[in-house]
Amino acid sequence: MKKIAVLTSGGDAPGMNAAIRAVVRKAIYEGLDVVGVEHGYQGILEERFQPMTLGSVGDIIQRGGTMLYSARYPQFKEDDVQQQAIANLKKHGIDGLVVIGGDGSYRGAMSLTEKGFPCVGIPGTIDNDIPGTEYTIGFDTALNTVMYSIDRIRDTATSHENSFIVEVMGRDAGDLALWAGVAAGAEAVIIPEVDFNIDRLIQRLTKSSMRGKKHSIMIVAEGVMSGHELAKQLKEKAQIETRVSVLGHMQRGGSPTARDRVLASRFGGRAVELLIEGKSGVAVGIRNHLLVDYQLSEAYEGKHEADISLYALTEQLSI
Ligand code: F6P
């Protein structure tokens, strides 16, 4: 292995820059040449390769987003597109690729590996929904963003004795909602992993209002329904008035937390080691505080398990 490439793909996540920095610096430390591919897989097809030096990743560890830009590129599923990508990578003397992204991005990396081009994945998504790793880059930062946003919403909810519904991202996973529920002391969380029962929620809200509670915060994961839909159901079924706050893409931005920077740096360093060791078709991850690697296919064929004990905890602590 003499020259590797790195790209970011799918929805961006805070800490991706820290991971790019780690890949580039570790590779150079090991005597490899590195190129950055702009705009994800699409950039391979368009030959958007930029040589990376120690200096090109200076001053980025603290920045949100990704200096290499990101893109979703569904065409990459096609066989001839993948063949062309490999031809382009080889034309530029590249013999290994690090892909930073979510499980959709791993499919492309696995296909390239199966066609003989070595790839390693790094989990980067705010959704924390990749099987095989307990944490993904960006989750901790997004969680803090949600928590601080809810703290602010709580201030005004208390002043005006209003109830709020906060809609958070996460695609089909409830981790952001679940963890934010505990961290921000929400009265209820509604997540895809637990069947939603509107009557049960109404009962809980009624009970807490009867014991004198004047406001409440409910967090709904986008994978269940929108905040506005939940507000509509509460109004129609029980005349419960709520305000709705959709946090949206602010959850994907911002300077990464220390935890995300450290995770990204560890993942980046390990991904380069794996390529040097001749291991490919794998992704790096963290389990029980230890770095692990596992088959890329495990990540997109398996099912992410949310820590449902946090659901019960939120209910128990908000009686
Ligand atoms: O996967 C990250 C994520 O932010 C999800 O939480 C969300 O559902 C999706 O991306 C939004 O994607 P887009 O920015 O393409 O609308």
Side-chain angles (χ1 to χ4, degrees):
M1 185 91 25
K2 289 203 170 65
K3 187 175 184 178
I4 65 166
V6 57
L7 62 79
T8 48
S9 163
D12 64 346
M16 279 185 163
N17 277 328
I20 295 167
R21 171 181 178 271
V23 169
V24 170
R25 295 228 167 138
K26 173 76 173 182
I28 294 172
Y29 173 84
E30 298 289 353
L32 304 179
D33 286 334
V34 203
V35 298
V37 186
E38 290 182 351
H39 300 283
Y41 288 113
Q42 190 173 347
I44 305 181
L45 274 296
E46 294 168 359
E47 299 184 59
R48 290 169 176 259
F49 301 119
Q50 53 160 289
M52 304 292 272
T53 62
L54 293 174
S56 32
V57 289
D59 198 22
I60 63 164
I61 196 167
Q62 78 286 11
R63 289 198 204 147
T66 159
M67 68 166 292
L68 291 176
Y69 309 97
S70 193
R72 303 191 197 276
Y73 191 53
Q75 296 93 317
F76 205 72
K77 288 193 193 94
E78 288 157 31
D79 190 68
D80 55 335
V81 176
Q82 292 167 5
Q83 299 285 7
Q84 186 58 53
I86 292 177
N88 289 358
L89 288 161
K90 286 191 172 157
K91 184 171 134 194
H92 289 262
I94 298 161
D95 26 40
L97 175 66
V98 177
V99 173
I100 306 168
D103 51 358
S105 314
Y106 284 6
R107 284 176 196 272
M110 193 62 198
S111 303
L112 294 186
T113 306
E114 281 166 358
K115 288 183 165 66
F117 195 88
C119 296
V120 170
I122 294 182
T125 165
I126 64 162
D127 301 338
N128 206 42
D129 61 348
I130 302 189
T133 185
E134 288 165 3
Y135 297 104
T136 58
I137 297 169
F139 173 64
D140 188 62
T141 308
L143 173 61
N144 276 280
T145 302
V146 172
M147 181 189 74
Y148 288 124
S149 306
I150 295 177
D151 287 351
R152 285 162 173 75
I153 288 169
R154 186 179 284 286
D155 288 344
T156 178
T158 311
S159 307
H160 290 269
E161 301 188 330
N162 281 332
S163 286
F164 270 84
I165 294 170
V166 181
E167 179 192 316
V168 304
M169 281 187 167
R171 207 179 284 276
D172 300 323
D175 284 50
L176 264 180
L178 199 53
W179 285 68
V182 177
E187 274 65 35
V189 288
I190 295 144
I191 54 170
E193 292 83 354
V194 177
D195 287 340
F196 175 58
N197 182 327
I198 184 91
D199 297 321
R200 191 155 173 268
L201 177 62
I202 291 168
Q203 266 172 21
R204 282 173 55 79
L205 293 172
T206 311
K207 202 170 140 205
S208 67
S209 117
M210 277 164 60
R211 74 166 177 83
K213 223 170 180 178
K214 299 275 195 287
H215 64 270
S216 54
I217 307 273
M218 289 160 267
I219 306 178
V220 60
E222 64 174 359
V224 180
M225 69 176 98
S226 73
H228 290 287
E229 173 58 28
L230 179 59
K232 191 167 148 249
Q233 290 190 20
L234 288 172
K235 171 91 176 144
E236 279 172 9
K237 274 212 114 180
Q239 292 73 52
I240 295 175
E241 290 287 348
T242 52
R243 298 277 195 283
V244 179
S245 215
V246 181
L247 299 188
H249 285 79
M250 70 149 80
Q251 294 162 95
R252 287 227 301 252
S255 177
T257 58
R259 206 181 165 92
D260 271 332
R261 295 182 201 192
V262 173
L263 188 68
S265 302
R266 293 178 75 189
F267 281 173
R270 184 67 191 130
V272 173
E273 282 172 3
L274 286 167
L275 280 175
I276 292 171
E277 287 165 16
K279 254 182 148 177
S280 62
V282 295
V284 292
I286 190 155
R287 292 180 206 158
N288 290 325
H289 307 286
L290 296 175
L291 288 181
V292 293
D293 56 86
Y294 52 94
Q295 288 297 306
L296 283 168
S297 53
E298 195 187 314
Y300 56 79
E301 281 165 5
K303 189 167 163 25
H304 163 72
E305 301 289 344
D307 184 353
I308 296 299
S309 70
L310 297 179
Y311 184 87
L313 186 62
T314 297
E315 293 213 331
Q316 288 159 12
L317 301 186
S318 66
I319 44 169

